[in-house]
Amino acid sequence: MTAIKHALQRDIFTPNDERLLSIVNVCKAGKKKRNCFLCATVTTERPVQVNVVKVKKSDKGDFYKRQTAWALRDLAVVDAKDAVKENPEFDLHFDKVYKWVASSTVEKNTFISCIWKLNQRYLRKKIDFINVSSQLLEESVPSGENQSVAGGDEEAVDEYQELNAREEQDIEIMMEGCEYAISNAEAFAEKLSRELQVLDGANIQSIMASEKQVNILMKLLDEALKEVDQIEMKLSSYEEMLQSVKEQMDQISESNHLIHLSNTNNVKLLSEIEFLVNHMDLAKGHIKALQEGDLTSSRGIEACTNAADALLQCMNVALRPGHDMLHAVKEQQQRFIDLREQFARRLASHLNSVFVQQGHDQSSTLAQHSVELTLPNHHPFHRDLLRYAKLMEWLKNTDYGKYEGLTKNYMDYLSRLYEREIKDFFEVAKIKMTGTTKEGKKFATLPRKESAVKQETESLHGSSGKLTGSTSSLNKLSVQSSGNRRSQSSSLLDMGNMSASDLDVADRTKFDKIFEQVLSELEPLCLAEQDFISKFFKLQQHQSIPGTAMSEAEEMDGGTLSRSYTSGGPQTISSEKDMIRQMMTKIFRCIEPELNNLIALGDKIDSFNSLYMLVKMSHHVWTAQNVDPASFLSTTLGNVLVTVKRNFDKCIVSSFKFSIQMNSPSSCLKDPALS
């Protein structure tokens, strides 16, 4: 760096009458490293001008050229970036901010120190130095070449010092007092010399006269120095004591920090433990109820329900991050899983035994109902099972496999039980229907006299336009009021009276009552079972039932019906009603065949019974659709109603054929309606 400095001084600054005071090797911040030199210079001529010159090495040779120069008075701010850490970056604020990166921190500090000195000497502290160490501004950097630069600077400063305003004023007054001060400078200088000698002599005499006071002053100064030494010794001892106190206070502060940190950790740990204990601790009473609770008594069922809910809450608690890594938490979760599986097995086993016991208990009551045309009442059984409704909901949420198994077992047991009850019930109904006939169990069509048939045909012929229509006649029939239905029943009796005396109106009336009683017994049975299934199995969510999903499309137009059954695996149920209807279809799968058999029997006994059955079935279908159009009962009765409508259509067709046979061929040709 010294050789470069001498080369720059010789080649660039000496020809321009400038002296190089400091140099720093820099490059622009954030760009490619193309090195250049920043130089602090002063002119040798008066008045002195201070500049910051940027010198760059030529690309075509090893010589240097002057690129840019800034006057030091234009420098506003020097930013050293960091006053504590060593950082080679610094900024110079001229007309704009120039960002530089020095090759070393020492060179940067030396250059900034030189700028500070020049600012103190020539610019009277106009430049702001920020992020610069105060030590750097107060003393120069001690290095060989920098010391020479600083020395050169001091020599340049000592060579010429400007007069201040007071000195200029005194010189002007002195020159005015002497007329020849300008014309005869030697005489003026001699006069000034004589006056200076006089003043020096007076000063010497004054000093000699004040020797005693000087001695006294020196003595006082010595005493003051001794006092200062004593004070310094005391201050040193105090400083040592304060240093010891400071060390102790630092230790106490660190100890307090550790104690505070320990207390904070203990509070957080206690909070986590309280959270786990409050949310994952299952009472011993609940554990005992889950393991040994009595599932036959109401009090035991309530205790088991509360315990199951508490277990579910403990298992579903939202653990905080890291809790699942604790060994105790893992053990507690495994204990909860074991309790859940144990109680789920015990609950499923108990409910299966209840289902089986219900089948045995209901079988014992079949003999009592075999004589009367009534169906057994399942209300006590439903009432007992509804006590387990909350436990079934718990089982559905925790172990859906066992819940599904219980659902399947319930449908299997109840379907067999209802099949026996309903078949016996329909056997009693058939016996009561056929018991009044002359031939007993012989179900052939009864013979009629020609006149009776003819009168019956004529009575039906007048209303054939209403009875041979499509679904419009059924819809009109189904929405009539109860008063109209009574009038229809009375009109049917009147039509029976008009038929002939040979027709047994009492048998038809009895058949009508028996058929009405059959429907009246089936309707509350189905509704009660449907309500129980909805409450007991908690069908509030969309689930699926394994088995056969049935989709039915009914079209009652001219007595037609179309059905499509899709068999397969588990089907997705779109609503609660669909799932209930599927369960009801499986439990009461024998109702529709038995009703069809009963209708066929009534039609064999007397084809005119189809009209009675049509009216009764329309009434019950209308009632069921008002309650729930998509229920199992409404669907089943609607299917049976279509069968009754078909039988009635056959009755009308046979009556027309018989009427045509009874009339002459000529009358048939004249009457287009009969043809």
Side-chain angles (χ1 to χ4, degrees):
M1 182 63 70
T2 305
I4 295 174
K5 181 178 179 184
H6 286 303
L8 293 176
Q9 177 68 48
R10 182 184 67 250
D11 298 334
I12 297 177
F13 298 109
T14 300
N16 294 328
D17 296 330
E18 291 179 313
R19 179 179 294 177
L20 177 60
L21 301 180
S22 181
I23 184 173
V24 59
N25 187 7
V26 296
C27 63
K28 289 188 177 180
K31 295 186 177 181
K32 295 182 179 180
K33 291 187 176 180
R34 300 183 63 182
N35 293 345
C36 57
F37 298 96
L38 289 180
C39 305
T41 65
V42 295
T43 59
T44 56
E45 297 179 355
R46 307 299 182 187
V48 178
Q49 294 182 0
V50 185
N51 298 319
V52 176
V53 182
K54 177 183 176 184
V55 178
K56 183 179 179 183
K57 188 174 183 180
S58 176
D59 296 333
K60 298 180 180 180
D62 294 333
F63 62 94
Y64 299 88
K65 62 179 181 179
R66 183 178 187 136
Q67 187 175 12
T68 309
W70 300 277
L72 188 64
R73 62 177 177 274
D74 296 332
L75 181 61
V77 178
V78 176
D79 186 0
K81 295 297 183 181
D82 196 335
V84 179
K85 297 181 180 180
E86 292 186 357
N87 187 357
E89 297 180 4
F90 66 99
D91 296 343
L92 299 180
H93 295 231
F94 289 100
D95 54 342
K96 64 178 183 178
V97 179
Y98 293 87
K99 298 181 180 291
W100 306 99
V101 179
S103 60
S104 66
T105 308
V106 175
E107 290 184 15
K108 182 190 90 169
N109 293 337
T110 304
F111 184 78
I112 293 177
S113 177
C114 181
I115 295 295
W116 180 77
K117 290 178 181 179
L118 295 174
N119 177 55
Q120 295 290 326
R121 297 296 181 184
Y122 298 105
L123 302 181
R124 302 186 186 279
K125 303 179 182 180
K126 291 182 179 180
I127 303 175
D128 293 333
F129 290 81
I130 59 176
N131 296 323
V132 180
S133 174
S134 58
Q135 184 178 2
L136 182 65
L137 299 180
E138 292 174 0
E139 57 189 27
S140 61
V141 179
S143 64
E145 62 176 9
N146 295 330
Q147 185 69 28
S148 63
V149 173
D153 182 33
E154 291 292 333
E155 292 175 359
V157 172
D158 292 339
E159 288 179 359
Y160 175 77
Q161 292 183 356
E162 295 181 359
L163 296 177
N164 54 29
R166 184 175 179 181
E167 291 175 345
E168 292 179 355
Q169 185 178 4
D170 292 340
I171 290 175
E172 289 179 356
I173 294 173
M174 187 182 299
M175 293 177 68
E176 289 176 358
C178 185
E179 297 179 353
Y180 53 87
I182 298 175
S183 60
N184 192 355
E186 294 181 357
F188 181 68
E190 185 179 356
K191 180 181 179 182
L192 291 177
S193 177
R194 287 195 302 270
E195 291 179 356
L196 182 61
Q197 291 177 358
V198 173
L199 291 175
D200 289 339
N203 289 335
I204 292 172
Q205 292 178 2
S206 176
I207 291 172
M208 293 176 65
S210 61
E211 182 179 0
K212 185 177 181 180
Q213 285 81 4
V214 171
N215 292 331
I216 295 173
L217 179 62
M218 295 299 293
K219 186 177 180 180
L220 292 175
L221 288 175
D222 292 338
E223 292 177 356
L225 290 174
K226 292 180 181 179
E227 292 292 332
V228 169
D229 293 338
Q230 293 178 359
I231 292 174
E232 285 182 351
M233 293 177 61
K234 289 183 180 180
L235 289 176
S236 298
S237 63
Y238 292 158
E239 185 177 1
E240 292 177 357
M241 296 173 61
L242 290 175
Q243 183 67 24
S244 176
V245 172
K246 180 183 178 183
E247 293 177 356
Q248 294 177 3
M249 291 302 296
D250 291 340
Q251 294 178 357
I252 293 173
S253 176
E254 184 178 0
S255 177
N256 290 337
H257 175 70
L258 294 177
I259 293 173
H260 177 71
L261 184 62
S262 177
N263 291 336
T264 304
N265 292 337
N266 290 334
V267 170
K268 291 182 178 180
L269 180 61
L270 181 61
S271 174
E272 298 295 332
I273 294 175
E274 288 179 350
F275 173 80
L276 294 176
V277 171
N278 293 334
H279 293 85
M280 295 193 69
D281 186 23
L282 192 62
K284 293 182 178 180
H286 290 333
I287 297 176
K288 185 176 180 181
L290 292 173
Q291 293 176 343
E292 305 173 0
D294 185 13
L295 292 173
T296 58
S297 63
S298 299
R299 182 174 296 178
I301 293 173
E302 183 178 0
C304 291
T305 303
N306 296 333
D309 291 339
L311 176 63
L312 186 61
Q313 291 179 0
C314 291
M315 294 186 70
N316 293 337
V317 63
L319 295 178
R320 297 172 183 173
H323 285 174
D324 53 351
M325 305 292 291
L326 298 176
H327 182 66
V329 173
K330 292 181 180 179
E331 289 183 352
Q332 190 73 351
Q333 288 177 338
Q334 186 61 40
R335 190 179 296 114
F336 290 156
I337 293 174
D338 295 340
L339 279 174
R340 181 191 66 186
E341 293 179 353
Q342 181 182 358
F343 181 69
R345 287 195 301 269
R346 198 162 68 91
L347 177 62
S349 176
H350 177 74
L351 290 178
N352 281 327
S353 63
V354 172
F355 297 159
V356 175
Q357 185 64 31
Q358 168 66 13
H360 294 311
D361 294 342
Q362 291 294 114
S363 298
S364 61
T365 61
L366 290 178
Q368 178 182 356
H369 295 276
S370 61
V371 180
E372 301 176 357
L373 190 59
T374 56
L375 284 168
N377 187 9
H378 290 253
H379 177 69
F381 173 61
H382 292 166
R383 180 192 58 208
D384 295 339
L385 279 180
L386 282 177
R387 298 181 301 171
Y388 303 95
K390 292 184 178 180
L391 290 177
M392 282 296 295
E393 183 179 9
W394 175 85
L395 189 64
K396 180 180 180 181
N397 295 328
T398 56
D399 194 343
Y400 190 73
K402 288 187 175 57
Y403 168 83
E404 206 170 34
L406 279 176
T407 304
K408 187 175 181 299
N409 292 339
Y410 178 82
M411 290 189 295
D412 292 340
Y413 290 132
L414 267 292
S415 62
R416 291 196 292 268
L417 175 62
Y418 277 121
E419 186 173 2
R420 293 196 302 270
E421 292 178 355
I422 291 172
K423 284 185 177 180
D424 292 343
F425 173 71
F426 275 95
E427 286 298 327
V428 174
K430 292 175 184 178
I431 292 173
K432 288 184 176 293
M433 286 182 180
T434 60
T436 57
T437 60
K438 295 180 179 180
E439 300 199 9
K441 295 182 181 180
K442 189 175 181 181
F443 301 136
T445 304
L446 298 179
R448 303 183 184 181
K449 293 183 179 180
E450 295 179 358
S451 59
V453 176
K454 183 178 180 180
Q455 292 180 6
E456 183 179 284
T457 303
E458 292 175 354
S459 63
L460 293 174
H461 180 69
S463 60
S464 61
K466 295 180 180 179
L467 296 176
T468 58
S470 63
T471 55
S472 60
S473 61
L474 290 178
N475 294 332
K476 292 179 180 179
L477 199 58
S478 63
V479 298
Q480 288 177 348
S481 62
S482 59
N484 292 334
R485 288 194 294 274
R486 293 192 190 97
S487 63
Q488 286 177 354
S489 300
S490 61
S491 64
L492 290 174
L493 294 177
D494 294 338
M495 291 173 67
N497 291 329
M498 288 189 298
S499 62
S501 60
D502 294 332
L503 293 177
D504 194 353
V505 179
D507 289 345
R508 294 177 178 173
T509 305
K510 183 177 181 180
F511 176 84
D512 183 41
K513 292 181 179 180
I514 293 173
F515 191 74
E516 172 64 25
Q517 188 173 0
V518 169
L519 296 178
S520 299
E521 289 290 329
L522 288 176
E523 185 174 351
L525 179 70
C526 294
L527 293 177
E529 184 64 29
Q530 178 174 322
D531 183 64
F532 168 75
I533 288 174
S534 176
K535 293 179 180 178
F536 182 70
F537 290 100
K538 298 296 181 181
L539 300 178
Q540 285 80 18
Q541 297 180 355
H542 298 180
Q543 303 291 345
S544 62
I545 288 292
T548 301
M550 179 181 67
S551 62
E552 301 178 355
E554 298 177 8
E555 181 182 357
M556 292 182 291
D557 189 1
T560 61
L561 172 69
S562 64
R563 296 185 194 173
S564 62
Y565 295 92
T566 304
S567 60
Q571 301 291 328
T572 302
I573 308 302
S574 60
S575 66
E576 173 189 352
K577 294 181 180 179
D578 294 335
M579 186 174 180
I580 295 174
R581 186 167 66 250
Q582 286 191 15
M583 294 181 66
M584 292 288 291
T585 302
K586 188 170 183 180
I587 293 174
F588 293 105
R589 59 176 177 264
C590 64
I591 286 183
E592 187 172 346
E594 291 295 333
L595 275 174
N596 289 331
N597 293 336
L598 187 65
I599 290 170
L601 175 62
D603 189 58
K604 286 183 179 181
I605 294 174
D606 187 354
S607 60
F608 196 71
N609 288 334
S610 61
L611 182 57
Y612 290 90
M613 290 186 289
L614 180 63
V615 175
K616 295 299 181 184
M617 287 301 299
S618 300
H619 167 58
H620 284 276
V621 168
W622 177 78
T623 304
Q625 287 183 348
N626 284 340
V627 176
D628 186 1
S631 65
F632 164 77
L633 181 64
S634 177
T635 304
T636 303
L637 294 181
N639 296 337
V640 176
L641 176 61
V642 175
T643 304
V644 174
K645 177 65 169 57
R646 288 176 177 173
N647 293 339
F648 181 70
D649 291 343
K650 292 178 182 178
C651 175
I652 297 301
V653 171
S654 62
S655 299
F656 277 130
K657 289 181 179 179
F658 187 79
S659 176
I660 292 171
Q661 292 175 4
M662 295 297 296
N663 293 327
S664 62
S666 59
S667 60
C668 291
L669 294 175
K670 293 179 181 179
D671 192 352
L674 292 177
S675 62

Short mmCIF file of all heavy atoms in Angstrom, two decimals, residues 448 456-457 460 603 606-611 644-658:
data_model
loop_
_atom_site.label_atom_id
_atom_site.label_comp_id
_atom_site.label_asym_id
_atom_site.label_seq_id
_atom_site.Cartn_x
_atom_site.Cartn_y
_atom_site.Cartn_z
N ARG A 448 -124.72 -69.29 -8.22
CA ARG A 448 -125.74 -68.25 -8.06
C ARG A 448 -126.86 -68.51 -9.06
O ARG A 448 -126.65 -69.10 -10.12
CB ARG A 448 -125.15 -66.86 -8.33
CG ARG A 448 -123.95 -66.51 -7.45
CD ARG A 448 -123.49 -65.11 -7.74
NE ARG A 448 -122.31 -64.77 -7.00
CZ ARG A 448 -121.71 -63.61 -7.05
NH1 ARG A 448 -122.19 -62.68 -7.84
NH2 ARG A 448 -120.63 -63.36 -6.33
N GLU A 456 -127.56 -58.33 -10.35
CA GLU A 456 -126.29 -57.75 -9.88
C GLU A 456 -125.55 -57.07 -11.02
O GLU A 456 -124.99 -55.98 -10.88
CB GLU A 456 -125.44 -58.87 -9.28
CG GLU A 456 -124.13 -58.38 -8.69
CD GLU A 456 -123.37 -59.56 -8.10
OE1 GLU A 456 -123.75 -60.01 -7.01
OE2 GLU A 456 -122.40 -59.99 -8.74
N THR A 457 -125.60 -57.73 -12.21
CA THR A 457 -124.93 -57.16 -13.37
C THR A 457 -125.56 -55.85 -13.79
O THR A 457 -124.89 -54.88 -14.13
CB THR A 457 -124.99 -58.16 -14.52
OG1 THR A 457 -124.39 -59.37 -14.10
CG2 THR A 457 -124.22 -57.63 -15.73
N LEU A 460 -124.55 -53.12 -11.46
CA LEU A 460 -123.17 -52.67 -11.69
C LEU A 460 -123.01 -51.97 -13.02
O LEU A 460 -122.14 -51.14 -13.21
CB LEU A 460 -122.21 -53.86 -11.61
CG LEU A 460 -122.06 -54.49 -10.23
CD1 LEU A 460 -121.20 -55.73 -10.33
CD2 LEU A 460 -121.47 -53.50 -9.24
N ASP A 603 -112.05 -63.19 -2.87
CA ASP A 603 -112.53 -63.17 -4.25
C ASP A 603 -113.12 -64.52 -4.65
O ASP A 603 -114.08 -64.59 -5.41
CB ASP A 603 -111.38 -62.79 -5.17
CG ASP A 603 -111.86 -62.53 -6.59
OD1 ASP A 603 -112.72 -61.65 -6.77
OD2 ASP A 603 -111.37 -63.21 -7.50
N ASP A 606 -116.63 -64.86 -2.92
CA ASP A 606 -117.64 -64.07 -3.63
C ASP A 606 -116.89 -62.98 -4.37
O ASP A 606 -116.20 -62.16 -3.77
CB ASP A 606 -118.63 -63.46 -2.63
CG ASP A 606 -119.80 -62.79 -3.36
OD1 ASP A 606 -119.75 -62.70 -4.60
OD2 ASP A 606 -120.74 -62.35 -2.68
N SER A 607 -116.98 -62.97 -5.68
CA SER A 607 -116.26 -61.97 -6.47
C SER A 607 -116.73 -60.56 -6.15
O SER A 607 -115.99 -59.59 -6.36
CB SER A 607 -116.42 -62.24 -7.96
OG SER A 607 -117.81 -62.21 -8.32
N PHE A 608 -117.95 -60.44 -5.62
CA PHE A 608 -118.46 -59.12 -5.27
C PHE A 608 -117.73 -58.54 -4.05
O PHE A 608 -117.78 -57.35 -3.79
CB PHE A 608 -119.97 -59.22 -4.99
CG PHE A 608 -120.65 -57.87 -5.00
CD1 PHE A 608 -120.83 -57.17 -6.19
CD2 PHE A 608 -121.10 -57.29 -3.82
CE1 PHE A 608 -121.45 -55.94 -6.18
CE2 PHE A 608 -121.72 -56.06 -3.83
CZ PHE A 608 -121.91 -55.38 -5.02
N ASN A 609 -116.99 -59.40 -3.30
CA ASN A 609 -116.22 -58.91 -2.14
C ASN A 609 -115.09 -57.97 -2.56
O ASN A 609 -114.58 -57.20 -1.74
CB ASN A 609 -115.63 -60.09 -1.37
CG ASN A 609 -116.71 -60.85 -0.61
OD1 ASN A 609 -117.74 -60.29 -0.24
ND2 ASN A 609 -116.46 -62.13 -0.37
N SER A 610 -114.68 -58.04 -3.81
CA SER A 610 -113.59 -57.16 -4.26
C SER A 610 -113.99 -55.69 -4.15
O SER A 610 -113.13 -54.82 -3.94
CB SER A 610 -113.20 -57.50 -5.70
OG SER A 610 -114.32 -57.32 -6.56
N LEU A 611 -115.30 -55.42 -4.31
CA LEU A 611 -115.74 -54.03 -4.16
C LEU A 611 -115.60 -53.58 -2.72
O LEU A 611 -115.15 -52.46 -2.44
CB LEU A 611 -117.19 -53.90 -4.64
CG LEU A 611 -117.76 -52.48 -4.59
CD1 LEU A 611 -116.91 -51.52 -5.40
CD2 LEU A 611 -119.20 -52.47 -5.09
N VAL A 644 -106.20 -55.60 -5.43
CA VAL A 644 -107.67 -55.54 -5.26
C VAL A 644 -108.30 -54.89 -6.48
O VAL A 644 -109.36 -55.33 -6.97
CB VAL A 644 -108.00 -54.75 -3.98
CG1 VAL A 644 -109.50 -54.53 -3.86
CG2 VAL A 644 -107.49 -55.51 -2.76
N LYS A 645 -107.67 -53.84 -6.99
CA LYS A 645 -108.20 -53.17 -8.19
C LYS A 645 -108.24 -54.13 -9.38
O LYS A 645 -109.21 -54.15 -10.16
CB LYS A 645 -107.32 -51.96 -8.51
CG LYS A 645 -107.71 -51.21 -9.77
CD LYS A 645 -109.08 -50.57 -9.67
CE LYS A 645 -109.32 -49.60 -10.83
NZ LYS A 645 -109.20 -50.22 -12.13
N ARG A 646 -107.20 -54.93 -9.50
CA ARG A 646 -107.19 -55.90 -10.60
C ARG A 646 -108.34 -56.90 -10.44
O ARG A 646 -109.04 -57.23 -11.41
CB ARG A 646 -105.86 -56.65 -10.62
CG ARG A 646 -104.69 -55.82 -11.11
CD ARG A 646 -103.43 -56.63 -11.00
NE ARG A 646 -102.28 -55.89 -11.52
CZ ARG A 646 -101.02 -56.30 -11.43
NH1 ARG A 646 -100.77 -57.46 -10.83
NH2 ARG A 646 -100.04 -55.60 -11.94
N ASN A 647 -108.54 -57.40 -9.22
CA ASN A 647 -109.64 -58.35 -8.99
C ASN A 647 -111.00 -57.71 -9.29
O ASN A 647 -111.90 -58.34 -9.84
CB ASN A 647 -109.61 -58.86 -7.56
CG ASN A 647 -108.39 -59.72 -7.29
OD1 ASN A 647 -107.78 -60.24 -8.22
ND2 ASN A 647 -108.02 -59.87 -6.02
N PHE A 648 -111.10 -56.43 -8.91
CA PHE A 648 -112.35 -55.75 -9.18
C PHE A 648 -112.57 -55.59 -10.68
O PHE A 648 -113.68 -55.74 -11.18
CB PHE A 648 -112.34 -54.39 -8.48
CG PHE A 648 -113.62 -53.61 -8.68
CD1 PHE A 648 -114.81 -54.00 -8.08
CD2 PHE A 648 -113.63 -52.48 -9.49
CE1 PHE A 648 -115.97 -53.28 -8.28
CE2 PHE A 648 -114.79 -51.77 -9.70
CZ PHE A 648 -115.98 -52.17 -9.08
N ASP A 649 -111.48 -55.26 -11.40
CA ASP A 649 -111.60 -55.17 -12.86
C ASP A 649 -112.03 -56.50 -13.46
O ASP A 649 -112.86 -56.55 -14.37
CB ASP A 649 -110.27 -54.73 -13.45
CG ASP A 649 -109.95 -53.28 -13.10
OD1 ASP A 649 -110.88 -52.55 -12.69
OD2 ASP A 649 -108.77 -52.88 -13.21
N LYS A 650 -111.47 -57.59 -12.96
CA LYS A 650 -111.88 -58.92 -13.44
C LYS A 650 -113.35 -59.18 -13.16
O LYS A 650 -114.07 -59.75 -13.99
CB LYS A 650 -111.02 -59.99 -12.78
CG LYS A 650 -109.56 -59.97 -13.21
CD LYS A 650 -108.77 -61.04 -12.48
CE LYS A 650 -107.30 -60.98 -12.87
NZ LYS A 650 -106.51 -62.01 -12.13
N CYS A 651 -113.82 -58.74 -11.99
CA CYS A 651 -115.23 -58.92 -11.63
C CYS A 651 -116.12 -58.17 -12.61
O CYS A 651 -117.15 -58.68 -13.07
CB CYS A 651 -115.47 -58.46 -10.20
SG CYS A 651 -117.21 -58.51 -9.68
N ILE A 652 -115.72 -56.93 -12.94
CA ILE A 652 -116.52 -56.12 -13.87
C ILE A 652 -116.52 -56.77 -15.25
O ILE A 652 -117.56 -56.87 -15.93
CB ILE A 652 -115.96 -54.69 -13.93
CG1 ILE A 652 -116.09 -54.01 -12.55
CG2 ILE A 652 -116.70 -53.86 -14.96
CD1 ILE A 652 -117.50 -53.93 -12.04
N VAL A 653 -115.33 -57.22 -15.69
CA VAL A 653 -115.25 -57.84 -17.02
C VAL A 653 -116.12 -59.09 -17.09
O VAL A 653 -116.86 -59.32 -18.05
CB VAL A 653 -113.78 -58.16 -17.35
CG1 VAL A 653 -113.69 -59.01 -18.62
CG2 VAL A 653 -112.99 -56.87 -17.54
N SER A 654 -116.04 -59.93 -16.05
CA SER A 654 -116.88 -61.16 -16.05
C SER A 654 -118.37 -60.81 -16.03
O SER A 654 -119.20 -61.48 -16.66
CB SER A 654 -116.52 -62.03 -14.85
OG SER A 654 -116.77 -61.33 -13.65
N SER A 655 -118.72 -59.74 -15.30
CA SER A 655 -120.13 -59.34 -15.25
C SER A 655 -120.60 -58.86 -16.62
O SER A 655 -121.72 -59.17 -17.06
CB SER A 655 -120.31 -58.21 -14.23
OG SER A 655 -119.95 -58.65 -12.95
N PHE A 656 -119.72 -58.11 -17.34
CA PHE A 656 -120.09 -57.68 -18.69
C PHE A 656 -120.25 -58.87 -19.63
O PHE A 656 -121.19 -58.93 -20.43
CB PHE A 656 -119.02 -56.72 -19.24
CG PHE A 656 -119.20 -55.30 -18.77
CD1 PHE A 656 -118.15 -54.60 -18.22
CD2 PHE A 656 -120.43 -54.67 -18.89
CE1 PHE A 656 -118.31 -53.30 -17.78
CE2 PHE A 656 -120.58 -53.37 -18.46
CZ PHE A 656 -119.54 -52.68 -17.89
N LYS A 657 -119.32 -59.79 -19.52
CA LYS A 657 -119.43 -60.98 -20.38
C LYS A 657 -120.73 -61.74 -20.11
O LYS A 657 -121.42 -62.18 -21.02
CB LYS A 657 -118.23 -61.89 -20.17
CG LYS A 657 -116.93 -61.32 -20.74
CD LYS A 657 -115.79 -62.29 -20.52
CE LYS A 657 -114.50 -61.74 -21.10
NZ LYS A 657 -113.36 -62.66 -20.88
N PHE A 658 -121.03 -61.87 -18.82
CA PHE A 658 -122.27 -62.57 -18.48
C PHE A 658 -123.49 -61.80 -18.97
O PHE A 658 -124.48 -62.37 -19.45
CB PHE A 658 -122.33 -62.78 -16.97
CG PHE A 658 -123.49 -63.64 -16.54
CD1 PHE A 658 -123.43 -65.03 -16.65
CD2 PHE A 658 -124.66 -63.07 -16.03
CE1 PHE A 658 -124.50 -65.82 -16.26
CE2 PHE A 658 -125.72 -63.86 -15.65
CZ PHE A 658 -125.65 -65.24 -15.76
#
